Amino acid sequence: MPFTVADLLEQAQLRLELIAGQEAVHRTIDAAHVTELLRPGSWLQGGELLMTAGLQLSTDETQWRDFVRDVVDGGASALALGLGHGLPYQQAPTALVAAAEAEGIPLLLVPDETPFIAITKAVFAAHAAEERQVLERTLAVQRRLTVAAASGGGLDGLIGVWFQLTSLPAIITDPLGRAIATVGDETDRLMEAARGLIDEIAPHGLRGSSVTDIAGRALSVQPVGAGRVRGYALLVEADAREIRLMKSALTSLVTLELEQRYLAGDAERRARAMALDQVLAPSAGASAIRDMFDQLGIRTSSVVGLAIEPPAGRTEELAADLAYALPGGLVRTLGSGVEAIVIDGTDLPLLLRRFAAEQPAGIGDTVAPELAALSVQQARSLLPVSARLGRPATSREGSTSSLLLSIASPDVLTAFAENTLAPIDIADQTGELVSTLRAWLDTNGTWDATAERLGVHRHTVRNRISKIEKLLRRSLEPAATRHELWLALQARDTLAAPVSGARS
């Protein structure tokens, strides 16, 4: 418990007397300090018991009032005046008592037989006793948490004990921010508030942490893990110092639990890597693949192939991280790369941001499980495209036109589009010619379908296409001409589209 003015007054051996500021005796005393300055406020840090004999102070009412106000502005918790033989005052000046009452600060009288150092020692002894009590309570809590961890209760057992001791909700997540253990009745709201914080601190690894306010309560998000992030601890903060110390003990034990889970899964990861070898083998039949998925407990109607090219020396580490985080955990290393089968619906952009940021990555088509090898092959073939783009490449970027557009530099795309469409742009002040050309090409040159899409008469479409031919000085009948114009329009779309992470 904090040491207060009231606690100090209860120490009978000091024989202190309270003569003003009765309403504020609950104030905490953090330190005791002696001063004879007329303006000591700027030297205070707040929470002090300020003791003075008043050597520099006269009986002037204004001077006492200014002194007390300066002490209050400095954040002092209480003021004490020393009385006795050889000292300026044998009783408290009326002006001092009035000023203390007006400012609402406790005023204590220190008798002649009580030296200031005795008060200072009493304050420090009280704080030392409080520190010892906090340490004893913290050690007791740590023992209970350690017993919970050793009893095999896992994460649920750990945070269950935490909740019993603190009544504070807690959430432990995996590296992707998915809850794997929760306790308390506010976890849904806490998870919603923490998602943005996890995204924010994830790039900083174990060095990242953050705190946000939820309805007046502070929620901390702390990465946990030994060498790498294995998850996040979401804990509601509390002012009590022992709670903060207990939180350190909890996160250490959560780290140990997650690391044990990671190491315990090593054999299973190897087994699943071997299973993936069989799934992706050229000789694997559809029924055998479905049987393999059933044996592994993977229930899904569609999967996505994923390939990543990590930096040298990180292949095994990345494969283990992905196997730990991915539902089903079908991950293997192949040469210097990592390949995986991902259950459709997994947040691939998030997965890649967490584990493979700025690394070449290919994402294949969404396919039935028996066609997983095809999707993984597509993903592998997209690695050079991803390296060129500087972001994950998806299967739709593997088509001829999209591939050409994606690997060309913005300057080349701009020059191609401007050169091809310039005659139309100059004459097309309203944009109707370009929109008509786009619709006509999309409908494969069908007049009625283009007219219906644009909401105009088919003769209007014919007139506009005829005008485009005159501007270009070429017929739009040849397929090569149409494809060139379509490619120019696609180039503009590519330049206008924001670069984003690939999605499955």
Side-chain angles (χ1 to χ4, degrees):
M1 295 289 291
F3 185 69
T4 66
V5 176
D7 295 328
L8 182 65
L9 288 168
E10 289 179 358
Q11 300 202 14
Q13 77 278 9
L14 298 177
R15 304 180 64 184
L16 303 176
E17 180 184 358
L18 178 72
I19 60 171
Q22 174 67 43
E23 296 78 7
V25 294
H26 62 279
R27 289 182 178 175
T28 298
I29 298 177
D30 295 326
H33 181 62
V34 179
T35 184
E36 296 302 335
L37 298 175
L38 292 176
R39 295 290 184 271
S42 61
W43 299 94
L44 302 179
Q45 292 184 332
E48 295 90 352
L49 166 65
L50 194 64
M51 299 177 287
T52 183
L55 299 178
Q56 301 293 328
L57 293 160
S58 68
T59 57
D60 180 69
E61 181 178 343
T62 301
Q63 192 176 58
W64 278 115
R65 186 170 60 246
D66 290 345
F67 173 76
V68 173
R69 184 173 294 120
D70 180 70
V71 169
V72 170
D73 291 343
S77 293
L79 184 61
L81 177 66
L83 307 177
H85 298 292
L87 296 178
Y89 298 100
Q90 307 307 309
Q91 61 182 13
T94 303
L96 171 59
V97 177
E101 283 289 0
E103 295 292 339
I105 185 172
L107 175 61
L108 284 60
L109 294 183
V110 184
D112 186 29
E113 60 269 27
T114 302
F116 284 164
I117 188 62
I119 299 174
T120 300
K121 286 182 177 180
V123 171
F124 277 97
H127 280 293
E130 180 186 351
E131 290 286 334
R132 183 171 59 255
Q133 291 172 3
V134 168
L135 181 59
E136 289 173 352
R137 290 194 297 268
T138 302
L139 290 174
V141 169
Q142 187 168 357
R143 282 194 292 271
R144 288 191 60 181
L145 289 171
T146 303
V147 169
S151 66
L155 293 175
D156 290 323
L158 268 176
I159 62 175
V161 171
W162 169 263
F163 187 71
Q164 292 172 14
L165 295 170
T166 67
S167 298
L168 296 173
I171 302 172
I172 308 301
T173 78
D174 68 4
L176 293 181
R178 299 170 300 196
I180 54 178
T182 65
V183 67
D185 55 2
E186 304 175 68
T187 52
D188 289 343
R189 188 158 59 97
L190 297 181
M191 275 297 302
E192 185 64 30
R195 285 192 181 95
L197 292 182
I198 293 176
D199 285 339
E200 179 183 322
I201 68 174
H204 303 289
L206 291 172
R207 296 187 301 276
S209 62
S210 188
V211 178
T212 189
D213 182 81
I214 303 177
R217 306 181 76 183
L219 172 68
S220 70
V221 180
Q222 179 71 43
V224 287
R228 295 175 56 75
V229 174
R230 303 299 180 204
Y232 296 90
L234 281 53
L235 302 173
V236 172
E237 298 283 329
D239 293 332
R241 183 165 176 267
E242 56 261 45
I243 297 292
R244 295 195 295 272
L245 293 174
M246 287 158 52
K247 189 179 82 167
S248 298
L250 176 66
T251 53
S252 295
L253 290 170
V254 167
T255 295
L256 180 61
E257 177 67 27
L258 290 178
E259 289 294 344
Q260 286 177 338
R261 284 191 179 194
Y262 180 80
L263 293 174
D266 189 54
E268 183 180 355
R269 286 193 293 270
R270 287 197 298 270
R272 287 180 175 263
M274 294 173 63
L276 181 57
D277 287 338
Q278 296 180 43
V279 169
L280 299 182
S283 59
S287 60
I289 292 175
R290 286 193 294 268
D291 290 343
M292 180 67 70
F293 272 70
D294 287 339
Q295 292 172 19
L296 295 172
I298 301 174
R299 306 288 186 265
T300 183
S301 59
S302 54
V303 297
V304 178
L306 176 67
I308 304 173
E309 192 72 33
R314 279 213 55 219
T315 304
E316 295 293 339
E317 184 180 83
L318 175 60
D321 285 344
L322 291 179
Y324 180 71
L326 281 173
L330 289 180
V331 182
R332 73 173 183 179
T333 60
L334 187 66
S336 61
V338 175
E339 296 179 344
I341 293 178
V342 182
I343 294 175
D344 188 26
T346 302
D347 192 339
L348 281 177
L350 175 61
L351 181 80
L352 293 172
R353 286 199 305 272
R354 288 284 192 276
F355 297 109
E358 300 180 0
Q359 298 174 28
I363 302 171
D365 275 335
T366 300
V367 297
E370 54 266 30
L371 297 177
L374 173 62
S375 187
V376 171
Q377 184 177 358
Q378 288 177 325
R380 191 187 313 122
S381 68
L382 289 168
L383 289 175
V385 179
S386 174
R388 172 64 181 83
L389 293 175
R391 60 174 173 80
T394 62
S395 58
R396 62 177 176 269
E397 292 174 301
S399 65
T400 304
S401 299
S402 298
L403 181 61
L404 291 174
L405 292 173
S406 64
I407 63 176
S409 68
D411 290 342
V412 171
L413 290 181
T414 300
F416 167 63
E418 293 298 328
N419 181 62
T420 304
L421 301 173
I424 304 174
D425 292 335
I426 293 173
D428 189 23
Q429 299 301 314
T430 63
E432 64 181 19
L433 292 180
V434 170
S435 62
T436 299
L437 177 62
R438 185 185 294 273
W440 187 73
L441 292 171
D442 286 345
T443 60
N444 200 28
T446 305
W447 306 109
D448 290 338
T450 304
E452 183 178 352
R453 178 177 294 191
L454 296 175
V456 299
H457 196 276
R458 64 196 303 271
H459 292 312
T460 302
V461 175
R462 285 185 177 274
N463 290 336
R464 291 178 182 175
I465 295 300
S466 178
K467 185 174 182 179
I468 289 172
E469 288 180 321
K470 291 178 182 178
L471 291 169
L472 295 175
R473 298 182 180 179
R474 56 200 299 194
S475 171
L476 299 189
E477 287 296 326
T481 302
R482 296 188 191 191
H483 182 69
E484 183 179 348
L485 290 169
W486 177 85
L487 203 58
L489 293 172
Q490 292 299 306
R492 282 191 173 173
D493 291 343
T494 300
L495 291 167
V499 174
S500 60
R503 294 188 179 274
S504 62

